[in-house]
Amino acid sequence: MDTGTFRGIITGLLILAFIGITAWAYSRRRKPDFDEAANLPFADDDEQPTRDKRLSPEERTNEADSREDKGDRNA
């Protein structure tokens, strides 16, 4: 088996893999999952994540204000 035959076999396998992945991605069974994933950016979060969960909302606001007063852009 020479190099050309080996490359031809690899090319054929890659084409089959591409067709298989494309068929999987566009199958009707996957559509509900992809529709749900497409709408994730629009989902409302119940609570915004915070860095320090020990602080109350008022303390977090005061902490943010104090950072702005000091000009700390990295916080």
Side-chain angles (χ1 to χ4, degrees), residues 43-62:
D44 289 335
D45 292 336
D46 292 338
E47 181 181 325
Q48 295 293 329
T50 59
R51 290 186 297 167
D52 192 0
K53 295 183 187 260
R54 296 173 294 182
L55 297 177
S56 69
E58 295 83 22
E59 290 172 329
R60 278 187 236 127
T61 304
N62 293 339

Side-chain angles (χ1 to χ4, degrees), residues 2-75:
D2 64 340
T3 305
T5 304
F6 180 70
R7 288 180 179 171
I9 292 171
I10 295 297
T11 301
L13 291 174
L14 290 174
I15 288 172
L16 288 175
F18 176 77
I19 291 171
I21 291 171
T22 303
W24 170 80
Y26 286 99
S27 70
R28 291 187 179 158
R29 291 185 302 163
R30 301 293 303 163
K31 184 165 177 37
D33 295 332
F34 288 135
D35 287 341
E36 182 181 345
N39 289 323
L40 281 176
F42 305 112
D44 289 335
D45 292 336
D46 292 338
E47 181 181 325
Q48 295 293 329
T50 59
R51 290 186 297 167
D52 192 0
K53 295 183 187 260
R54 296 173 294 182
L55 297 177
S56 69
E58 295 83 22
E59 290 172 329
R60 278 187 236 127
T61 304
N62 293 339
E63 182 184 10
D65 291 340
S66 66
R67 276 197 304 261
E68 290 174 5
D69 294 339
K70 295 178 185 174
D72 187 7
R73 295 182 186 178
N74 294 328

